């Protein structure tokens, strides 16, 4: 319970699982977060992009532009989409 300290461990676990699905037509991950965890490394983002695994991010309760930019960057670097939930 509590805040996830960084995106990398969860994203790397998802990458390993999705990369093994060689016959999947679409490989996609969805992250729902406030954007507070430490951003993923460039290597993690490149692994997703190179394997054509897209990541869509849904920002909920971000604390401002810094966290929003983390979420946008993940989506942009992997070919996914970024959304911000403003109204529950």
């Amino acid at each position: 319970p509590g805040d996830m300290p960084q995106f990398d461990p969860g994203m790397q676990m998802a990458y390993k699982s999705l990369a093994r699905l060689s016959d999947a037509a679409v490989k996609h991950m969805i992250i729902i977060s406030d954007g507070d965890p430490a951003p993923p490394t460039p290597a993690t983002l490149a692994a997703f992009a190179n394997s054509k695994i897209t990541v869509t991010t849904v920002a909920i309760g971000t604390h401002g532009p810094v966290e929003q930019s983390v979420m946008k960057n993940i989506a942009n670097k992997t070919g996914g989409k970024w959304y911000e939930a403003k109204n529950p």
Side-chain angles (χ1 to χ4, degrees), residues 17 40 44 49 71 74:
S17 294
T44 297
M71 300 292 280
I74 293 170

Side-chain angles (χ1 to χ4, degrees), residues 47-62:
F48 274 83
N50 293 337
S51 297
K52 296 186 174 136
I53 301 170
T54 55
V55 180
T56 289
T57 58
V58 180
I60 296 178
T62 59

Side-chain angles (χ1 to χ4, degrees), residues 27 30 54 58 61 63:
K27 298 178 185 183
I30 300 171
T54 55
V58 180
H63 306 287

